[in-house]
Amino acid sequence: HVQLVESGGGSVQVGGSLNLSCAATGMSASSMCMAWIRQVPGKEREGVATIVTGYGGKWYDSSVKGRFTISRDRTKNSIYLQVNSLKMEDSAMYYCAAVTDGSCAAALNAPTYFGFWGQGTQVTVS
C-alpha cells in the first residue's frame, strides 16, 4: 500500500522560493512515475512536473519550465519540487502523486491517471 506524504509548502512573496518534499512508503516497484500536481479551488487539477524514479526522466508544464525543478532521491524514496520565481498564479494546493506503469510524459497532462495521492501541501504566493 503506497502512502505519500508532502511537506514544505507555505506562504511566500512574489519572486520567492520553496522546496516541496514528498516521502513515499510502501513502494514495491523498482521504478514509478511520480508527479507534482496542483489544484486551485473550483478548478481542475493541473500537472506541474513528472519524473520517472528509475532513470530520472522529467517533464514539465510549460507554465513552470525554467522556474521549477523536480528531482528524486531513490535512497530516501522521495521526490522534491524546487519552486523559484514564484508568481501569484502559482498559489495552489500541491499534491504528490504516483503510478506504477504507463507513460510518465503523457501522465503530465492527465492527472486522473495517477492512482496514489498524498494529502497535499498549500503554497500561497502574495
Side-chain angles (χ1 to χ4, degrees):
H1 178 64
V2 176
Q3 290 189 313
L4 306 172
V5 178
E6 303 97 331
S7 61
S11 297
V12 297
Q13 293 185 334
V14 170
S17 299
L18 288 169
N19 189 33
L20 309 184
S21 300
C22 171
T25 60
M27 295 176 64
S28 59
S30 59
S31 181
M32 299 182 74
C33 173
M34 296 188 70
W36 288 99
I37 295 167
R38 64 188 180 187
Q39 187 172 28
V40 175
K43 294 189 176 181
E44 293 185 354
R45 290 179 174 178
E46 173 188 33
V48 174
T50 59
I51 188 167
V52 179
T53 60
Y55 78 92
K58 306 174 185 180
W59 293 267
Y60 296 93
D61 183 77
S62 58
S63 66
V64 306
K65 193 172 290 186
R67 300 188 297 122
F68 291 11
T69 302
I70 190 170
S71 61
R72 93 283 195 211
D73 185 334
R74 297 181 71 182
T75 65
K76 297 181 179 179
N77 284 331
S78 295
I79 66 167
Y80 308 93
L81 188 69
Q82 178 66 40
V83 298
N84 298 326
S85 302
L86 281 163
K87 305 176 181 179
M88 291 185 68
E89 53 264 41
D90 293 319
S91 296
M93 183 71 78
Y94 283 70
Y95 296 93
C96 177
V99 64
T100 55
D101 55 13
S103 169
C104 211
L108 177 66
N109 297 312
T112 57
Y113 189 70
F114 293 91
F116 304 104
W117 292 82
Q119 82 288 350
T121 186
Q122 179 69 39
V123 172
T124 302
V125 185
S126 60

